[in-house]
Short mmCIF file of all heavy atoms in Angstrom, two decimals:
data_model
loop_
_atom_site.label_atom_id
_atom_site.label_comp_id
_atom_site.label_asym_id
_atom_site.label_seq_id
_atom_site.Cartn_x
_atom_site.Cartn_y
_atom_site.Cartn_z
N MET A 928 106.37 100.54 87.49
CA MET A 928 106.06 99.96 88.80
C MET A 928 107.31 99.53 89.55
O MET A 928 107.32 99.52 90.79
CB MET A 928 105.09 98.79 88.64
CG MET A 928 103.69 99.22 88.19
SD MET A 928 102.93 100.45 89.29
CE MET A 928 102.32 99.40 90.59
N PHE A 929 108.35 99.18 88.82
CA PHE A 929 109.62 98.88 89.49
C PHE A 929 110.18 100.15 90.15
O PHE A 929 110.65 100.11 91.29
CB PHE A 929 110.63 98.31 88.50
CG PHE A 929 111.95 97.95 89.13
CD1 PHE A 929 112.06 96.87 89.99
CD2 PHE A 929 113.09 98.71 88.86
CE1 PHE A 929 113.28 96.54 90.58
CE2 PHE A 929 114.30 98.39 89.44
CZ PHE A 929 114.41 97.30 90.30
N LEU A 930 110.10 101.26 89.43
CA LEU A 930 110.51 102.55 90.01
C LEU A 930 109.63 102.88 91.22
O LEU A 930 110.11 103.45 92.21
CB LEU A 930 110.41 103.65 88.97
CG LEU A 930 111.48 103.64 87.87
CD1 LEU A 930 111.13 104.63 86.77
CD2 LEU A 930 112.86 103.97 88.47
N MET A 931 108.35 102.51 91.13
CA MET A 931 107.45 102.71 92.26
C MET A 931 107.94 101.95 93.48
O MET A 931 107.94 102.45 94.61
CB MET A 931 106.04 102.24 91.86
CG MET A 931 105.02 102.30 92.97
SD MET A 931 104.69 103.98 93.50
CE MET A 931 103.93 103.65 95.11
N GLY A 932 108.37 100.72 93.28
CA GLY A 932 108.91 99.93 94.39
C GLY A 932 110.16 100.56 94.99
O GLY A 932 110.34 100.55 96.21
N LEU A 933 111.02 101.12 94.14
CA LEU A 933 112.26 101.72 94.62
C LEU A 933 111.99 102.95 95.49
O LEU A 933 112.72 103.21 96.46
CB LEU A 933 113.15 102.11 93.44
CG LEU A 933 113.72 100.97 92.59
CD1 LEU A 933 114.65 101.52 91.53
CD2 LEU A 933 114.44 99.93 93.46
N THR A 934 110.96 103.72 95.15
CA THR A 934 110.67 104.91 95.96
C THR A 934 109.78 104.59 97.15
O THR A 934 109.84 105.26 98.18
CB THR A 934 110.02 106.01 95.09
OG1 THR A 934 109.90 107.21 95.85
CG2 THR A 934 108.64 105.61 94.61
N TYR A 935 108.95 103.55 97.03
CA TYR A 935 108.01 103.21 98.10
C TYR A 935 108.67 102.45 99.24
O TYR A 935 108.29 102.61 100.41
CB TYR A 935 106.87 102.38 97.52
CG TYR A 935 105.68 102.23 98.43
CD1 TYR A 935 104.90 103.33 98.78
CD2 TYR A 935 105.31 100.98 98.93
CE1 TYR A 935 103.81 103.19 99.62
CE2 TYR A 935 104.21 100.83 99.76
CZ TYR A 935 103.46 101.94 100.10
OH TYR A 935 102.37 101.80 100.93
N GLY A 936 109.67 101.65 98.93
CA GLY A 936 110.30 100.81 99.95
C GLY A 936 110.82 101.56 101.16
O GLY A 936 110.47 101.24 102.30
N PRO A 937 111.68 102.59 100.97
CA PRO A 937 112.27 103.27 102.13
C PRO A 937 111.48 104.46 102.65
O PRO A 937 111.87 105.07 103.63
CB PRO A 937 113.63 103.77 101.58
CG PRO A 937 113.72 103.30 100.17
CD PRO A 937 112.34 102.97 99.72
N ILE A 938 110.37 104.83 101.99
CA ILE A 938 109.72 106.10 102.34
C ILE A 938 109.15 106.07 103.76
O ILE A 938 109.17 107.08 104.47
CB ILE A 938 108.62 106.47 101.31
CG1 ILE A 938 108.21 107.94 101.46
CG2 ILE A 938 107.41 105.55 101.43
CD1 ILE A 938 109.29 108.92 101.13
N GLY A 939 108.65 104.92 104.21
CA GLY A 939 108.12 104.84 105.56
C GLY A 939 109.19 105.07 106.61
O GLY A 939 109.01 105.85 107.55
N THR A 940 110.33 104.41 106.45
CA THR A 940 111.45 104.58 107.37
C THR A 940 111.96 106.01 107.32
O THR A 940 112.29 106.60 108.37
CB THR A 940 112.59 103.62 107.01
OG1 THR A 940 112.06 102.30 106.90
CG2 THR A 940 113.67 103.64 108.06
N ALA A 941 112.02 106.60 106.14
CA ALA A 941 112.51 107.97 105.99
C ALA A 941 111.58 108.97 106.67
O ALA A 941 112.04 109.88 107.37
CB ALA A 941 112.67 108.31 104.51
N LEU A 942 110.29 108.81 106.50
CA LEU A 942 109.33 109.72 107.14
C LEU A 942 109.37 109.58 108.66
O LEU A 942 109.29 110.58 109.39
CB LEU A 942 107.91 109.45 106.62
CG LEU A 942 107.61 109.88 105.19
CD1 LEU A 942 106.17 109.55 104.84
CD2 LEU A 942 107.86 111.37 104.99
N ALA A 943 109.47 108.35 109.14
CA ALA A 943 109.56 108.16 110.59
C ALA A 943 110.80 108.82 111.16
O ALA A 943 110.80 109.31 112.29
CB ALA A 943 109.56 106.66 110.91
N GLY A 944 111.86 108.88 110.34
CA GLY A 944 113.12 109.43 110.82
C GLY A 944 113.15 110.92 111.03
O GLY A 944 113.99 111.43 111.77
N ILE A 945 112.25 111.66 110.37
CA ILE A 945 112.32 113.13 110.47
C ILE A 945 111.49 113.69 111.62
O ILE A 945 111.47 114.91 111.83
CB ILE A 945 111.90 113.80 109.14
CG1 ILE A 945 110.45 113.48 108.79
CG2 ILE A 945 112.83 113.37 108.01
CD1 ILE A 945 109.97 114.17 107.53
N PHE A 946 110.82 112.82 112.38
CA PHE A 946 110.04 113.28 113.52
C PHE A 946 110.56 112.62 114.81
O PHE A 946 110.95 111.45 114.79
CB PHE A 946 108.56 112.92 113.35
CG PHE A 946 107.88 113.61 112.21
CD1 PHE A 946 107.75 112.98 110.98
CD2 PHE A 946 107.40 114.91 112.36
CE1 PHE A 946 107.13 113.62 109.92
CE2 PHE A 946 106.78 115.56 111.31
CZ PHE A 946 106.65 114.93 110.09
N PRO A 947 110.57 113.36 115.91
CA PRO A 947 110.96 112.75 117.19
C PRO A 947 109.94 111.71 117.61
O PRO A 947 108.77 111.75 117.19
CB PRO A 947 110.99 113.94 118.16
CG PRO A 947 110.08 114.96 117.55
CD PRO A 947 110.22 114.79 116.06
N ALA A 948 110.35 110.78 118.46
CA ALA A 948 109.49 109.66 118.84
C ALA A 948 108.18 110.12 119.48
O ALA A 948 107.15 109.45 119.33
CB ALA A 948 110.25 108.73 119.79
N SER A 949 108.19 111.25 120.15
CA SER A 949 107.00 111.71 120.88
C SER A 949 105.86 112.11 119.95
O SER A 949 104.70 112.10 120.37
CB SER A 949 107.37 112.90 121.78
OG SER A 949 107.92 113.95 121.01
N VAL A 950 106.15 112.45 118.69
CA VAL A 950 105.09 112.80 117.73
C VAL A 950 105.28 112.04 116.42
O VAL A 950 104.73 112.41 115.38
CB VAL A 950 105.06 114.32 117.44
CG1 VAL A 950 104.69 115.11 118.68
CG2 VAL A 950 106.39 114.80 116.88
N ARG A 951 106.02 110.96 116.47
CA ARG A 951 106.38 110.23 115.24
C ARG A 951 105.17 109.57 114.57
O ARG A 951 105.06 109.57 113.34
CB ARG A 951 107.43 109.18 115.58
CG ARG A 951 108.03 108.48 114.35
CD ARG A 951 109.17 107.58 114.77
NE ARG A 951 110.30 108.36 115.24
CZ ARG A 951 111.19 107.93 116.13
NH1 ARG A 951 111.05 106.72 116.66
NH2 ARG A 951 112.18 108.69 116.50
N TYR A 952 104.29 108.99 115.36
CA TYR A 952 103.10 108.34 114.79
C TYR A 952 102.26 109.37 114.03
O TYR A 952 101.87 109.17 112.87
CB TYR A 952 102.28 107.71 115.93
CG TYR A 952 101.32 106.62 115.52
CD1 TYR A 952 101.29 105.40 116.21
CD2 TYR A 952 100.41 106.79 114.47
CE1 TYR A 952 100.40 104.39 115.85
CE2 TYR A 952 99.52 105.79 114.12
CZ TYR A 952 99.52 104.59 114.82
OH TYR A 952 98.64 103.59 114.47
N THR A 953 102.01 110.50 114.68
CA THR A 953 101.19 111.55 114.07
C THR A 953 101.89 112.18 112.87
O THR A 953 101.29 112.33 111.79
CB THR A 953 100.88 112.65 115.10
OG1 THR A 953 100.23 112.07 116.23
CG2 THR A 953 99.97 113.72 114.50
N GLY A 954 103.15 112.53 113.03
CA GLY A 954 103.87 113.24 111.97
C GLY A 954 104.04 112.41 110.72
O GLY A 954 103.74 112.87 109.61
N ALA A 955 104.52 111.18 110.87
CA ALA A 955 104.73 110.32 109.69
C ALA A 955 103.41 110.00 109.01
O ALA A 955 103.32 110.01 107.77
CB ALA A 955 105.44 109.03 110.11
N SER A 956 102.36 109.73 109.79
CA SER A 956 101.06 109.39 109.21
C SER A 956 100.47 110.58 108.46
O SER A 956 99.91 110.42 107.36
CB SER A 956 100.09 108.95 110.31
OG SER A 956 100.55 107.80 110.97
N LEU A 957 100.58 111.78 109.03
CA LEU A 957 100.04 112.96 108.37
C LEU A 957 100.79 113.28 107.08
O LEU A 957 100.17 113.60 106.06
CB LEU A 957 100.09 114.16 109.32
CG LEU A 957 98.95 114.26 110.33
CD1 LEU A 957 99.23 115.39 111.32
CD2 LEU A 957 97.61 114.50 109.63
N ALA A 958 102.11 113.21 107.10
CA ALA A 958 102.89 113.48 105.89
C ALA A 958 102.50 112.52 104.78
O ALA A 958 102.31 112.92 103.62
CB ALA A 958 104.39 113.39 106.19
N PHE A 959 102.35 111.26 105.12
CA PHE A 959 102.01 110.24 104.13
C PHE A 959 100.60 110.45 103.57
O PHE A 959 100.39 110.39 102.34
CB PHE A 959 102.11 108.86 104.79
CG PHE A 959 101.97 107.70 103.84
CD1 PHE A 959 103.02 107.33 103.01
CD2 PHE A 959 100.80 106.95 103.79
CE1 PHE A 959 102.91 106.25 102.14
CE2 PHE A 959 100.68 105.87 102.93
CZ PHE A 959 101.73 105.53 102.09
N THR A 960 99.63 110.73 104.43
CA THR A 960 98.25 110.85 103.97
C THR A 960 98.00 112.18 103.26
O THR A 960 97.20 112.24 102.32
CB THR A 960 97.27 110.68 105.14
OG1 THR A 960 97.60 111.60 106.19
CG2 THR A 960 97.32 109.27 105.68
N LEU A 961 98.65 113.25 103.70
CA LEU A 961 98.51 114.53 102.99
C LEU A 961 99.11 114.43 101.60
O LEU A 961 98.57 114.98 100.63
CB LEU A 961 99.18 115.65 103.79
CG LEU A 961 98.49 116.06 105.09
CD1 LEU A 961 99.34 117.07 105.85
CD2 LEU A 961 97.10 116.66 104.79
N ALA A 962 100.21 113.72 101.48
CA ALA A 962 100.80 113.48 100.16
C ALA A 962 99.84 112.68 99.28
O ALA A 962 99.80 112.86 98.06
CB ALA A 962 102.13 112.74 100.29
N GLY A 963 99.06 111.80 99.90
CA GLY A 963 98.06 111.03 99.16
C GLY A 963 97.01 111.92 98.53
O GLY A 963 96.61 111.71 97.38
N ILE A 964 96.56 112.94 99.28
CA ILE A 964 95.58 113.87 98.72
C ILE A 964 96.19 114.64 97.55
O ILE A 964 95.60 114.75 96.47
CB ILE A 964 95.09 114.85 99.80
CG1 ILE A 964 94.25 114.11 100.84
CG2 ILE A 964 94.26 115.98 99.16
CD1 ILE A 964 93.74 115.00 101.95
N LEU A 965 97.40 115.18 97.74
CA LEU A 965 98.03 116.01 96.72
C LEU A 965 98.50 115.19 95.52
O LEU A 965 98.45 115.66 94.38
CB LEU A 965 99.22 116.75 97.32
CG LEU A 965 98.88 117.75 98.44
CD1 LEU A 965 100.15 118.31 99.07
CD2 LEU A 965 98.02 118.89 97.89
N GLY A 966 98.95 113.96 95.78
CA GLY A 966 99.53 113.18 94.70
C GLY A 966 98.61 112.16 94.07
O GLY A 966 98.91 111.64 93.00
N ALA A 967 97.45 111.87 94.71
CA ALA A 967 96.61 110.79 94.20
C ALA A 967 95.19 111.20 93.86
O ALA A 967 94.66 110.77 92.84
CB ALA A 967 96.56 109.66 95.24
N SER A 968 94.57 112.04 94.69
CA SER A 968 93.13 112.25 94.56
C SER A 968 92.72 112.82 93.21
O SER A 968 91.69 112.43 92.64
CB SER A 968 92.63 113.17 95.69
OG SER A 968 93.30 114.42 95.64
N LEU A 969 93.51 113.75 92.66
CA LEU A 969 93.15 114.39 91.39
C LEU A 969 94.01 113.93 90.22
O LEU A 969 93.78 114.35 89.09
CB LEU A 969 93.27 115.91 91.53
CG LEU A 969 92.33 116.57 92.55
CD1 LEU A 969 92.60 118.07 92.62
CD2 LEU A 969 90.87 116.31 92.20
N THR A 970 94.98 113.07 90.48
CA THR A 970 95.94 112.69 89.44
C THR A 970 95.29 112.04 88.21
O THR A 970 95.58 112.47 87.08
CB THR A 970 97.02 111.77 90.03
OG1 THR A 970 97.86 112.57 90.87
CG2 THR A 970 97.87 111.15 88.93
#
């Protein structure tokens, strides 16, 4: 869980950084939630 904290802390800022401001809300939210399906739903 400590490793979880290390990877979870900056991921929001990092995802926001790869999209321009005009689509940043949509892009960061979709990347995060799609990863949730792939990384969580069947794990």
Side-chain angles (χ1 to χ4, degrees):
M928 291 304 279
F929 181 70
L930 287 170
M931 176 65 198
L933 294 184
T934 187
Y935 193 66
I938 195 65
T940 309
L942 288 180
I945 62 177
F946 295 97
S949 58
V950 295
R951 188 174 292 152
Y952 201 131
T953 303
S956 298
L957 278 172
F959 188 76
T960 54
L961 290 174
I964 291 179
L965 296 173
S968 59
L969 297 178
T970 288

